[in-house]
């Protein structure tokens, strides 16, 4: 078996073991049976603005406001409304879209997410948002930042 076949097999095996084990404080699935909460940890690679643009399905300039709504996506995220003022990449999503700020810490289903330096969208204002669907198979799902912090503040005016 050549390297061209070995590397994908090893990558799949490593990914499968990570998916099966999840990650809690001790790196394991927390609990068994009813009330089980699953934790996950994703180490995002920092991206430049050009890499964010390439990775994003949608890039918009928008006025972001915080709502009192939340959504469960492997953890409980605060939902922000983004009033789109310009579409820089992707199909026009409409006037207002729902956005969540991707967490840069481990998340646990049913628990509020946390951030190392806070939710970048918590301070309302105008941002360039680099987005992808939280659930690509669900057209009605919220948008999420492609990586934590993928929101560039825009100057007013």
């Amino acid at each position: 078996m050549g390297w061209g076949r070995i590397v994908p097999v090893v990558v799949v095996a490593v990914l499968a073991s990570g998916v099966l084990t999840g990650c809690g404080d001790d790196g394991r699935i927390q609990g068994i049976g009813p009330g089980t909460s699953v934790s996950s940890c994703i180490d995002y690679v920092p991206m430049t603005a050009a890499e964010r643009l390439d990775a994003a399905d949608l890039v918009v300039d928008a006025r972001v406001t915080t709502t009192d709504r939340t959504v469960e996506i492997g953890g409980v995220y605060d939902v922000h409304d983004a009033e789109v003022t310009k579409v820089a990449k992707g199909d026009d999503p409409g006037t207002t879209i729902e956005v969540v700020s991707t967490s840069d810490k481990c998340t646990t289903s049913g628990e509020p997410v946390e951030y190392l330096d806070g939710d970048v969208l918590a301070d309302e204002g105008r941002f360039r948002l680099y987005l992808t669907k939280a659930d690509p198979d669900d057209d009605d799902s919220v948008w999420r930042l492609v990586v934590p912090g993928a929101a560039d503040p825009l100057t007013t005016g």
Side-chain angles (χ1 to χ4, degrees):
M1 183 181 285
W3 283 109
R5 297 189 84 166
I6 292 173
V7 172
V9 170
V10 170
V11 169
V12 169
V14 168
L15 290 175
S17 68
V19 168
L20 293 174
T21 60
C23 113
D25 291 336
D26 60 1
R28 293 179 283 164
I29 292 178
Q30 300 175 9
I32 304 239
T36 298
S37 63
V38 177
S39 296
S40 66
C41 298
I42 300 173
D43 287 331
Y44 289 96
V45 176
M47 291 183 173
T48 65
E51 291 168 330
R52 292 176 185 175
L53 180 65
D54 187 49
D57 298 315
L58 178 67
V59 178
V60 297
D61 292 352
R63 183 171 310 283
V64 176
T65 56
T66 303
T67 72
D68 60 355
R69 299 184 311 274
T70 60
V71 65
E72 167 72 35
I73 312 170
V76 178
Y77 283 85
D78 290 332
V79 175
H80 304 278
D81 282 340
E83 181 184 339
V84 177
T85 57
K86 177 183 174 184
V87 177
K89 178 183 177 183
D91 297 330
D92 187 344
T95 306
T96 303
I97 57 175
E98 295 181 321
V99 177
V100 297
S101 181
T102 306
S103 175
D104 53 3
K105 293 183 74 173
C106 294
T107 61
T108 302
S109 62
E111 296 294 323
V113 298
E114 296 179 357
Y115 302 89
L116 290 175
D117 295 319
D119 179 350
V120 69
L121 300 179
D123 293 330
E124 299 179 350
R126 294 182 58 236
F127 295 89
R128 171 152 289 184
L129 305 172
Y130 301 85
L131 305 166
T132 190
K133 277 295 197 175
D135 180 353
D137 297 326
D138 180 3
D139 289 339
D140 294 328
S141 73
V142 298
W143 292 91
R144 68 169 178 83
L145 300 179
V146 292
V147 292
D152 297 330
L154 299 173
T155 57
T156 56

